Amino acid sequence: MSAYVFDFSEGDASMRDLLGGKGAGLAEMTKLGLRVPPGFTITTEACRTVMTDGAVPDSLWQEVDDAITRLEATSGRTFGSGPTPLLVSVRSGAKFSMPGMMDTVLNLGINDDVVGALAAWSGDDHFAWDAYRRFVQMYGEVVLGIPEHHFQEVLTDLRASRHVDSDADLSAVDLAHATSRFRQIIASNGKTIPGDARSQLQGAVQAVFGSWNTRRARDYRRLHGISDDIGTAANVQMMVFGDLGADSGTGVCFTRDPSTGERRPYGDYLAQAQGEDVVAGIRDTSTLDDLATIHPNCHEELLGVMEGLERHFQDMCDIEFTIEHGTLWVLQTRAGKRTAPAAVRIAVEMANEGVIDRSEAVKRVDPASLEQLERPRIAASARGQALTAGIAASPGAATGRVVFEADRAVELAKAGEAVILVRPQTTPDDIHGMAAAKGILTSQGGKTSHAAVVARGMGKPAVTGVGAMFVEVAAGRASVGHHDFAEGDLITIDGTTGAVYAGAVALEEPKPIPELEVLLSWADEVRHLGVRANADTAEDAAIARWAGADGIGLARTEHRFLGERTVIVQRIILTPDGPDRRQALRDLQTQQVVDFETLLEAMDGLPVVVRLLDPPLHEFLPSRLELEQEMVRRVRLGRSIADLEHMSAQVARWEESNPMLGLRGVRLGLIVSDLYRMQVQAALEAVVRRRQAGGDPQLEIMIPLVGNPEELIRMKEMVTEEIAKIEGSTGQKLDVPMGTMIELPRAALVAGQLARHADFFSFGTNDLTQMTYGLSRDDAEASFLQKYLDDQIMATNPFQTLDREGVGRLIRVATREGKEANPELIVGVCGEHGGDPASIAFCREVGLDYVSASPPRVKVARLAAAQAELSGAASSTA
Amino acid sequence: MSAYVFDFSEGDASMRDLLGGKGAGLAEMTKLGLRVPPGFTITTEACRTVMTDGAVPDSLWQEVDDAITRLEATSGRTFGSGPTPLLVSVRSGAKFSMPGMMDTVLNLGINDDVVGALAAWSGDDHFAWDAYRRFVQMYGEVVLGIPEHHFQEVLTDLRASRHVDSDADLSAVDLAHATSRFRQIIASNGKTIPGDARSQLQGAVQAVFGSWNTRRARDYRRLHGISDDIGTAANVQMMVFGDLGADSGTGVCFTRDPSTGERRPYGDYLAQAQGEDVVAGIRDTSTLDDLATIHPNCHEELLGVMEGLERHFQDMCDIEFTIEHGTLWVLQTRAGKRTAPAAVRIAVEMANEGVIDRSEAVKRVDPASLEQLERPRIAASARGQALTAGIAASPGAATGRVVFEADRAVELAKAGEAVILVRPQTTPDDIHGMAAAKGILTSQGGKTSHAAVVARGMGKPAVTGVGAMFVEVAAGRASVGHHDFAEGDLITIDGTTGAVYAGAVALEEPKPIPELEVLLSWADEVRHLGVRANADTAEDAAIARWAGADGIGLARTEHRFLGERTVIVQRIILTPDGPDRRQALRDLQTQQVVDFETLLEAMDGLPVVVRLLDPPLHEFLPSRLELEQEMVRRVRLGRSIADLEHMSAQVARWEESNPMLGLRGVRLGLIVSDLYRMQVQAALEAVVRRRQAGGDPQLEIMIPLVGNPEELIRMKEMVTEEIAKIEGSTGQKLDVPMGTMIELPRAALVAGQLARHADFFSFGTNDLTQMTYGLSRDDAEASFLQKYLDDQIMATNPFQTLDREGVGRLIRVATREGKEANPELIVGVCGEHGGDPASIAFCREVGLDYVSASPPRVKVARLAAAQAELSGAASSTA
């Protein structure tokens, strides 16, 4: 066995480190006895030697030559000459799939002489010149780095002058002409393609190795924690041709239906064609049944291959094959892509068939995909052309009438219209409109924008960041290019793909997937991590319970302060203490009692964690800027502005330059303490009422934004006082656990002290991320976060997936020290990350007790928690 | 020896744990053979037993009785009866001095019978009844908890009806009447004073022990990390009387002049008086020289006592004494309070005299006090009455004309006037006015408000948070009660005490203190921690260098962007790329080259760390709110607002809801990258120019607000590129270290990774505190921080003194992991805390290499760094 080169017949799937992913896969199929075009892999070790020494190792080209000689013997073809020329493909293949590296050169080994031999061998000039043209173009682009557009311009000109639409319709002479032009272009760039096949091969292999060290590849590795030292392999494989005549063809097949998951072979076949043509959809493809008629032998052999591969890989396989002169060649196999419903069905059925066990079934389904299962989608039959696309911010599709303002959305929805709320972006002021709409569409913002986060929380489709769309709210108009939308126009959005359509597009209601509940029950058997829901209303709590939540991890009661109650809250904030203010407090308390009562009823018997008031006070107050703008308007109309001036002066008192770092949470509780006391009283009263009604309320009270133990101690005293009062007046014993959010870095750093005064911790990972990273979620996306992601300065959006190194380290420390100080401490997460699978894996790894997710993500979290349990040790090394 | 009670003659100074601080001191003086009134201490052990068992230990009262019996024998007086009654004082005394605990009851042991005996023994009815009156009042207040005002009302009525000003002028009969009224008040509160002396004593001792567990005392201990378990002692001591006739008196003396530090006895004596009368200043006191005439024997004895105590305690002593019938009694001694200049002189002279060593001298001076040494102060001769007082925000005194606006301050200053800038608060827009003023006065804000921080940085007196003052800038008026100030009125502020005076008050220029340089040179010999300065201008750099800075730790170049250059910066931000914008960049670069050149010149040969642009962009832009307000004004006048509307729309693009968490620092450097590149080019060009001029520029470049390594890597590439360019064009080799600020919690958490790409770290502790605590320095003081401090929810302001548990933990982790990853890494601090002695001690403890302080605090930092070195291990346990 040689040092740097392995024939496919020498390796297997276990040799990924040395052969790369692609090389190991080809070796495995060869080992299984499938008819794979022969070839060999130049190892990652060779690449590493090149990087270390700056030169190709002495023996490499000799080994490659020997391998080519073996390949010539195996294939019965000759490399670089006729009469039966051996053409090869050269492909890079690292251990991990990686963008930014050289991909593929096909048809290598061709030159001015070989093209003639190829034409003679095939009896097909067009085939031979097309192969040559493709080789020169690919080698020019990929190995020599000539910009693609130079070649495309030549082809465009040729097609125009020949009045044809497709390159395939060009004649052999045209293709010969194009090849000649391509070589001139390469020469005018100071480059040249070697005529000698072995030199071509050496050039391509060096390009593969060189591409390991491009800026883009290095940036990618740095950001994904892949070592620069592992290097890539290069695979050299004999070409087979599906376009050699009627007894040739190419196809793709799946061992089960990738759309529904049904257990039946499924595939496309295209006679007299190359692989790319199937994908390009130039001609209508045939089915596998058609293949049975055309090539019964090949068809039967293929069915055997499919069955064998599925059995071997224990998964639904996607197989690429080519038939060359009636002989079936298997080019590639991998786990087949499938729709979310298919993934669930396949996993459960395979487990029931005994092919895989239940744990494996649980691992097979992408938790994030569950979110779309119960939403409408664009019908498969729909033929609409998307107008534009934005960010797929919340899955599912919706059709409705365009509306630009939240109040208007509510009006039209009340009148029975389905509406889509279209805005530049949304703010907390739009929430009632979002609730009334079928879907949300914004021109700005990414996956963690307000619109995206709220829509996901509501389980509604949303498309955000549609850069091509210009929304003028005041003018009541939105435009995409020349297409204008006015209020009332129909529009359709697909939050699963980000597509936006003008008019109504046929939608499909989700079909029930009976296998889903089976899968989730298996997940529940596996997972130790609890899954609660973030729910502010009884409706949300009911949805969460139905989705299998173990309780409410976060009830943000202040969300109930917005809308109609804003006026009461303003009175409490702006009025000096006195009968008026006290009445407002009592009014709010009356309403809060009902809020809590219905919430506790919906979650009867399960824990309900009520977080006391958190957001900055100014969220309840009018914006001073808007007040001044209104003043400008009124002065122009000659009207009085005295009331606005008065309001502005009152509001100014509460103005903060950085509200996120301001008077919030427990700070507010200690400064405007009767507001907190009112909330506690209301929650306790709700417990008493639920008990009187025969219920089993499990209230827990959570204090937000605690930064030092003293804050928690004082709040706990207050809550304890209120509990004692109510116990005194009712004679009942109330057992209300009290805990704190950990959302300031300092809270995490003094968690050991906090734990002595808390029954539970809940990490508010949104805020913790904001503070740890010094990032404002409200601003960062627009100002620089998106660019950071685009430029790969950050690998992932830390508001979507928990930042392990920074925020995660704080969570780890706080959990450890909290539990050391108080072994009874229950620890959970209640930020956005509680519904993100990667973050859930981290939560399990650091020993949290539960995650709390938005109701539409409860099932996602159940499955992700089970997967985290199963991958266990593996994820802790990530 | 008994278990719970120690006579003074049985203890010494080493027994603070058991006897408390006061008891141990009394024992030590007794041991020295001084004539100390005899007595005994009930130990902290007794207090602990009371706390644990909830009751006084069985043997305690018996032991106390025995001690009283011994005291009767020693004193020749009898407790609770005549003919020579023994009266005692009862004082609490914990190991640490602690507010919130019971203080003192005097004259205990008196009752209706004893008062007669005391009158007979002293031959002075007035003396006897005054003693009785005082006892009933103090016992009522301190032991029984009757509010003081009840007693004061009786005395006020009495003085009025007798037409006298002082209680001392009331007759014995009046005092007897008052005593009787006091007892009625106590009875009407349901309380009673025991007649029996031993019962009085037991009540007082129990009150002392009980006071250990008051809410205030517990809060204090919790916040200062003092264990609740250590308990307090109670001291019982024979009363001696200085008001028994012409051969009696009382006084206070110092072993050196507490005002200048001169080595000569200094003191006050008051014949026929009690201790309180000296302090109250009711009568003019005599000097020690007068005492030599009145009581030559006592005077000589006192001089001996003074010399002995100073020698024993190796420090300037403050001694309280009483002469009772010609006999000198020493009541107390402690280290004497002294002015800052006196402290320096005494420390240096004592070291030169060989009384203490140099290290001890370095330890003796409060570093913070150095800040006032070189500032004017209110003359000792000045007799002005302060109008009001605020927070002593920056030391020193200043007189000048009131001015309300920054521009006006500049104008008047240019015209040669001394001005005091008076504002509700200051903002960055006022900096030029602050620079022009002699002092700053604000009605809002605390010690870390903008006004306070900037004034300290400038070395100017400031008084902030003058709650009694109402400033109306628009009206050009400030008022304190009925006193109005208009522009041009004279006002005087004392930033050392917080006092505000109407008109001019005589000031004293600081006298040079030759001992200071000696002391600092000793400090420099001791310290390992470097001391650099935060300086943005050549002037500040020169001041810092003169004060002994080892370099510049932070040059905030963007401070130079404010003022006249704002317009250029606005052009760069708001104009799309094009010739206009590029010209603006070049203009700014030209100016920056000069900025850097002069800075490097002033610090020639020493490191100058230039931080690239950090503040949020909007700081350079007009406020949208103000633009709208201006629009309202203009519309009212019928003028056009088109230009303002345009500006507002432009500015809106950069608007952020939380600028502190927004587009700042390296983020700006990566988004508006030519601005950063310009700064780097300017700094490098300055280096080249300085070298051409024969200088030795030591430029270092610092990247702010880094949160992940990728940011640092990319900026470093940019800087390296620019260095290569300039090296290429000049042929010179530039060695410019590059580092990063650690001001985001995440930066501290990934410091190990950052250190691999950095030559140095500098902790920006202001921002790090903001992020770690989730506190905006701009807002927090006004909204809740002050209340947190008042209510003892926080023990210290984290912007003044580094928060060890939170922020400090991050600093500790980042320093350790940074130095592990890169052993060459230099680590410093450049926030406000770099000039705070307590924070400096922490910096030394965690192994930092230097601190960087504002120029006026460089000497403070040198001394504090030396003290931190000396206290070494001690501080690491704090």
Side-chain angles (χ1 to χ4, degrees), chain A residues 222 636 641 657-661 667 710-711 714 746 749 753 772-774 776 779 788 791 803 805 809 817, chain B residues 222 636 641 657-661 667 710-711 714 746 749 753 772-774 776 779 784 788 791 803 805 809 817:
Chain A
R222 195 159 61 202
R636 277 181 163 160
I641 57 169
S657 42
N658 294 286
M660 199 55 79
L661 306 173
R667 299 166 184 174
E710 195 64 24
E711 293 171 317
R714 303 222 179 167
R746 191 176 197 279
L749 293 163
Q753 292 179 53
T772 304
Y773 240 121
S776 162
D779 305 316
Y788 264 38
D791 291 356
D803 157 41
E805 293 179 321
R809 183 170 179 183
E817 297 182 3
Chain B
R222 194 159 61 201
R636 277 182 162 158
I641 57 169
S657 43
N658 294 287
M660 198 57 78
L661 306 174
R667 299 165 185 177
E710 195 63 25
E711 294 170 318
R714 304 222 179 167
R746 193 176 196 278
L749 294 164
Q753 293 179 54
T772 304
Y773 240 121
S776 163
D779 304 317
F784 66 92
Y788 264 39
D791 290 357
D803 157 40
E805 293 180 321
R809 184 170 179 183
E817 297 182 3

XYZ file of all heavy atoms in Angstrom, chain A residues 222 636 641 657-661 667 710-711 714 746 749 753 772-774 776 779 788 791 803 805 809 817, chain B residues 222 636 641 657-661 667 710-711 714 746 749 753 772-774 776 779 784 788 791 803 805 809 817:
469
model
N -12.108 29.067 10.956
C -11.883 29.763 12.217
C -13.208 29.920 12.955
O -13.294 29.728 14.164
C -11.263 31.123 11.926
C -10.658 31.777 13.128
C -9.641 32.817 12.721
N -10.255 33.861 11.934
C -9.592 34.662 11.111
N -8.288 34.560 10.964
N -10.208 35.605 10.441
N -48.654 74.075 13.092
C -48.919 74.415 11.686
C -50.400 74.658 11.441
O -50.781 75.479 10.618
C -48.460 73.272 10.779
C -46.990 73.350 10.483
C -46.594 72.204 9.566
N -45.309 72.477 8.944
C -44.533 71.531 8.410
N -44.925 70.280 8.417
N -43.389 71.848 7.867
N -50.912 73.509 21.904
C -50.086 72.331 22.201
C -49.808 72.212 23.702
O -48.933 71.462 24.129
C -48.743 72.375 21.435
C -47.983 73.660 21.766
C -48.967 72.256 19.934
C -46.561 73.646 21.254
N -31.151 57.511 28.593
C -30.416 57.422 27.333
C -30.170 55.978 26.932
O -29.985 55.682 25.766
C -29.111 58.211 27.402
O -28.463 58.022 28.616
N -30.190 55.065 27.897
C -30.051 53.638 27.577
C -31.048 52.833 28.406
O -30.679 52.235 29.417
C -28.627 53.150 27.885
C -27.607 53.799 26.995
O -27.507 53.466 25.826
N -26.863 54.747 27.536
N -32.316 52.852 27.981
C -33.346 52.234 28.808
C -33.061 50.766 29.140
O -33.449 50.284 30.193
C -34.622 52.380 27.973
C -34.204 52.898 26.645
C -32.863 53.491 26.778
N -32.366 50.088 28.223
C -32.088 48.668 28.486
C -31.240 48.506 29.746
O -31.268 47.467 30.395
C -31.358 48.092 27.273
C -31.404 46.599 27.174
S -33.087 45.955 27.203
C -33.581 46.269 25.508
N -30.462 49.543 30.064
C -29.597 49.495 31.244
C -30.206 50.318 32.376
O -29.498 50.743 33.286
C -28.213 50.050 30.894
C -27.495 49.421 29.699
C -26.217 50.181 29.383
C -27.154 47.970 30.007
N -35.283 46.940 40.091
C -34.979 48.340 40.408
C -36.270 49.127 40.518
O -36.468 49.917 41.438
C -34.110 48.929 39.296
C -32.801 48.201 39.166
C -32.089 48.541 37.869
N -30.885 47.734 37.756
C -30.099 47.703 36.701
N -30.397 48.446 35.642
N -29.023 46.950 36.682
N -28.662 41.708 47.761
C -29.481 42.589 48.584
C -30.836 42.872 47.923
O -31.861 42.957 48.608
C -28.713 43.895 48.843
C -29.275 44.748 49.942
C -29.218 44.083 51.316
O -28.369 43.192 51.532
O -30.034 44.455 52.170
N -30.827 43.031 46.622
C -32.085 43.286 45.915
C -33.059 42.124 46.116
O -34.242 42.317 46.389
C -31.823 43.473 44.416
C -31.031 44.725 44.092
C -30.589 44.779 42.633
O -30.135 43.748 42.095
O -30.667 45.860 42.027
N -34.415 41.923 49.723
C -35.481 42.881 50.057
C -36.801 42.524 49.374
O -37.873 42.669 49.961
C -35.037 44.291 49.674
C -33.741 44.637 50.382
C -33.690 46.017 50.915
N -32.392 46.183 51.586
C -31.887 47.333 51.959
N -32.563 48.449 51.754
N -30.718 47.393 52.564
N -23.497 40.178 36.164
C -23.153 40.173 37.573
C -23.960 39.128 38.352
O -23.465 38.505 39.284
C -23.368 41.551 38.194
C -22.748 41.624 39.587
C -22.849 42.994 40.189
N -21.938 43.141 41.294
C -22.168 42.717 42.522
N -23.305 42.108 42.794
N -21.274 42.879 43.463
N -22.289 36.017 38.074
C -21.011 35.993 38.781
C -21.192 35.874 40.299
O -20.278 35.446 41.004
C -20.205 37.247 38.435
C -19.735 37.321 36.963
C -19.312 38.731 36.591
C -18.604 36.339 36.702
N -24.152 33.408 45.869
C -24.816 34.175 46.925
C -26.320 34.246 46.700
O -27.107 34.132 47.639
C -24.267 35.598 46.973
C -22.833 35.700 47.440
C -22.390 37.166 47.422
O -23.038 38.030 48.000
N -21.307 37.445 46.740
N -23.818 40.781 28.043
C -22.521 40.123 27.944
C -21.792 40.571 26.681
O -20.585 40.803 26.685
C -22.701 38.593 27.935
O -23.418 38.234 29.103
C -21.367 37.887 27.927
N -22.560 40.723 25.610
C -21.989 41.110 24.331
C -22.015 42.624 24.139
O -21.489 43.137 23.156
C -22.798 40.457 23.204
C -22.019 39.537 22.314
C -22.366 38.205 22.178
C -20.922 40.003 21.583
C -21.657 37.355 21.353
C -20.218 39.161 20.754
C -20.585 37.840 20.643
O -19.884 37.013 19.823
N -22.708 43.339 25.037
C -22.855 44.775 24.832
C -23.607 45.078 23.548
O -23.219 45.953 22.787
N -27.463 45.715 21.771
C -28.879 45.976 21.971
C -29.657 45.238 20.896
O -29.453 45.476 19.711
C -29.130 47.472 21.886
O -30.490 47.728 21.675
N -31.356 47.371 18.344
C -30.597 48.154 17.369
C -29.642 47.318 16.537
O -29.340 47.641 15.396
C -29.718 49.202 18.081
C -30.516 50.105 18.991
O -31.590 50.543 18.556
O -30.056 50.383 20.109
N -22.039 41.771 10.329
C -21.112 40.868 11.003
C -21.346 39.423 10.563
O -20.406 38.658 10.378
C -21.313 40.961 12.520
C -20.366 41.904 13.227
C -19.981 43.108 12.652
C -19.844 41.580 14.476
C -19.115 43.966 13.301
C -18.978 42.428 15.141
C -18.620 43.617 14.555
O -17.759 44.454 15.217
N -20.307 39.020 6.840
C -18.848 39.029 6.681
C -18.180 37.938 7.512
O -16.958 37.901 7.614
C -18.277 40.386 7.122
C -18.666 41.499 6.172
O -19.301 41.190 5.151
O -18.331 42.666 6.456
N -24.566 31.849 22.671
C -23.125 32.017 22.544
C -22.444 31.209 23.654
O -22.409 31.618 24.809
C -22.826 33.515 22.666
C -21.409 33.805 23.095
O -20.498 33.127 22.596
O -21.222 34.728 23.926
N -19.301 30.382 24.326
C -18.046 30.811 24.947
C -18.237 31.962 25.928
O -17.539 32.044 26.923
C -17.062 31.254 23.861
C -16.612 30.110 23.002
C -15.651 30.583 21.928
O -15.873 31.680 21.367
O -14.675 29.873 21.667
N -20.599 30.483 29.121
C -19.670 30.315 30.239
C -20.281 30.866 31.523
O -20.136 30.280 32.600
C -18.356 31.036 29.914
C -17.331 30.843 30.986
C -15.965 31.339 30.557
N -15.025 31.141 31.652
C -13.758 31.511 31.621
N -13.269 32.088 30.540
N -12.986 31.300 32.654
N -22.248 27.087 40.593
C -22.114 27.710 41.910
C -23.457 27.862 42.604
O -23.531 27.786 43.832
C -21.382 29.051 41.763
C -19.971 28.812 41.226
C -19.123 30.072 41.078
O -19.592 31.168 41.448
O -17.987 29.944 40.593
N -24.142 43.361 56.775
C -24.311 42.545 55.580
C -23.577 43.194 54.408
O -22.897 42.540 53.635
C -25.795 42.422 55.258
C -26.104 41.345 54.266
C -27.550 40.924 54.352
N -28.439 42.039 54.060
C -29.724 42.089 54.445
N -30.258 41.098 55.124
N -30.481 43.122 54.139
N -43.780 78.320 14.728
C -44.508 79.389 15.427
C -44.148 80.750 14.866
O -44.966 81.662 14.835
C -44.156 79.371 16.908
C -44.980 78.350 17.670
C -44.618 78.402 19.129
N -45.647 77.769 19.928
C -45.450 77.291 21.153
N -44.257 77.405 21.714
N -46.426 76.737 21.824
N -38.804 75.013 7.832
C -38.091 73.997 8.608
C -37.528 72.907 7.707
O -37.131 71.840 8.175
C -39.025 73.355 9.662
C -40.266 72.757 8.994
C -39.417 74.353 10.734
C -41.085 71.881 9.939
N -31.793 52.854 20.099
C -32.552 52.973 21.344
C -31.643 52.792 22.558
O -31.950 53.274 23.635
C -33.732 52.016 21.371
O -33.372 50.760 20.884
N -30.521 52.108 22.387
C -29.555 51.958 23.477
C -28.138 52.178 22.945
O -27.403 51.220 22.706
C -29.650 50.554 24.097
C -30.983 50.339 24.786
O -31.211 50.894 25.854
N -31.844 49.581 24.162
N -27.778 53.428 22.745
C -26.488 53.702 22.095
C -25.300 53.076 22.818
O -24.311 52.711 22.183
C -26.398 55.228 22.091
C -27.520 55.725 22.920
C -28.534 54.655 23.017
N -25.417 52.924 24.130
C -24.283 52.350 24.857
C -24.012 50.924 24.386
O -22.894 50.422 24.511
C -24.614 52.372 26.354
C -23.438 52.221 27.259
S -22.175 53.469 26.970
C -22.901 54.892 27.795
N -25.055 50.272 23.885
C -24.915 48.891 23.414
C -24.874 48.850 21.894
O -25.147 47.823 21.290
C -26.116 48.063 23.902
C -26.409 48.069 25.397
C -27.705 47.332 25.694
C -25.268 47.406 26.166
N -16.841 48.053 16.257
C -17.978 47.837 15.353
C -18.010 48.945 14.308
O -18.190 48.693 13.119
C -19.276 47.859 16.156
C -19.311 46.760 17.187
C -20.399 46.978 18.221
N -20.310 45.950 19.250
C -21.081 45.907 20.314
N -22.013 46.832 20.509
N -20.927 44.948 21.200
N -12.441 37.537 16.398
C -12.449 37.860 14.977
C -12.363 39.374 14.747
O -11.716 39.831 13.811
C -13.734 37.294 14.358
C -13.753 37.230 12.860
C -12.694 36.320 12.268
O -12.243 35.380 12.962
O -12.298 36.550 11.122
N -13.015 40.141 15.609
C -12.955 41.601 15.459
C -11.519 42.091 15.592
O -11.044 42.932 14.826
C -13.828 42.273 16.522
C -15.308 42.002 16.359
C -16.126 42.478 17.565
O -15.673 42.277 18.720
O -17.206 43.042 17.367
N -9.305 41.099 12.571
C -9.495 41.924 11.367
C -8.911 43.319 11.539
O -8.329 43.884 10.621
C -10.980 41.997 11.009
C -11.553 40.590 10.826
C -12.461 40.464 9.659
N -12.915 39.053 9.603
C -13.914 38.619 8.860
N -14.574 39.458 8.098
N -14.252 37.344 8.872
N -18.104 39.758 27.665
C -17.679 38.673 26.797
C -16.172 38.730 26.512
O -15.516 37.698 26.404
C -18.438 38.699 25.476
C -18.225 37.405 24.710
C -19.044 37.351 23.435
N -19.114 35.991 22.932
C -18.171 35.427 22.205
N -17.093 36.095 21.896
N -18.307 34.172 21.789
N -14.505 37.062 29.165
C -14.747 35.623 29.178
C -13.967 34.883 28.089
O -13.738 33.687 28.197
C -16.252 35.354 29.030
C -17.109 35.832 30.226
C -18.582 35.895 29.853
C -16.923 34.913 31.430
N -8.445 33.711 24.319
C -8.348 33.766 22.860
C -7.856 35.124 22.382
O -7.042 35.213 21.461
C -9.712 33.507 22.224
C -10.243 32.096 22.416
C -11.617 31.970 21.764
O -11.803 32.267 20.596
N -12.587 31.548 22.543
N -21.673 44.749 33.012
C -21.759 43.657 33.976
C -22.945 43.863 34.913
O -23.648 42.932 35.276
C -20.455 43.577 34.784
O -19.371 43.448 33.874
C -20.460 42.382 35.729
N -23.159 45.116 35.279
C -24.235 45.448 36.214
C -25.524 45.796 35.474
O -26.558 46.004 36.084
C -23.807 46.650 37.053
C -23.759 46.380 38.540
C -22.586 46.531 39.262
C -24.904 45.988 39.218
C -22.542 46.297 40.623
C -24.874 45.755 40.584
C -23.691 45.908 41.273
O -23.663 45.681 42.620
N -25.440 45.942 34.135
C -26.621 46.400 33.405
C -27.065 47.777 33.850
O -28.235 48.049 34.041
N -26.595 51.998 33.204
C -26.108 53.072 32.354
C -25.616 54.201 33.242
O -26.364 54.741 34.040
C -27.243 53.560 31.471
O -26.940 54.809 30.933
N -27.610 57.361 33.175
C -28.962 57.418 33.725
C -29.040 56.997 35.188
O -29.886 57.463 35.923
C -29.894 56.454 32.967
C -29.927 56.716 31.476
O -29.990 57.896 31.107
O -29.908 55.748 30.709
N -31.946 55.569 39.960
C -32.082 54.710 41.130
C -30.798 54.492 41.917
O -30.839 54.102 43.065
C -32.674 53.347 40.742
C -31.787 52.531 39.875
C -30.904 51.613 40.425
C -31.796 52.698 38.503
C -30.077 50.860 39.619
C -30.966 51.947 37.689
C -30.106 51.035 38.259
N -30.342 53.566 45.850
C -29.739 52.288 46.242
C -28.655 52.516 47.292
O -28.518 51.739 48.234
C -29.121 51.607 45.014
C -30.011 50.582 44.355
C -31.383 50.779 44.229
C -29.479 49.412 43.837
C -32.187 49.841 43.608
C -30.277 48.463 43.220
C -31.627 48.680 43.111
O -32.419 47.731 42.511
N -30.265 53.746 50.604
C -30.970 52.652 51.292
C -30.050 51.471 51.588
O -30.526 50.422 52.019
C -32.134 52.140 50.431
C -33.258 53.151 50.334
O -33.148 54.203 50.985
O -34.228 52.905 49.590
N -16.314 47.079 41.673
C -17.134 46.012 42.241
C -16.338 44.705 42.171
O -16.224 44.083 41.125
C -18.418 45.927 41.397
C -19.109 44.581 41.485
O -19.156 44.026 42.598
O -19.601 44.105 40.452
N -16.761 41.649 43.417
C -17.406 40.348 43.228
C -17.862 40.112 41.800
O -17.810 38.997 41.321
C -18.625 40.239 44.148
C -18.238 40.188 45.599
C -19.465 40.091 46.483
O -20.474 40.759 46.171
O -19.425 39.356 47.466
N -14.358 39.982 39.422
C -14.181 38.567 39.090
C -13.845 38.404 37.608
O -13.005 37.588 37.237
C -15.464 37.802 39.438
C -15.320 36.327 39.201
C -16.497 35.552 39.766
N -16.301 34.143 39.482
C -17.175 33.189 39.779
N -18.296 33.504 40.398
N -16.921 31.942 39.472
N -6.299 34.242 32.483
C -6.339 33.471 31.245
C -5.589 34.180 30.119
O -5.004 33.530 29.255
C -7.791 33.175 30.868
C -8.435 32.299 31.948
C -9.880 31.894 31.672
O -10.413 32.236 30.597
O -10.475 31.226 32.550
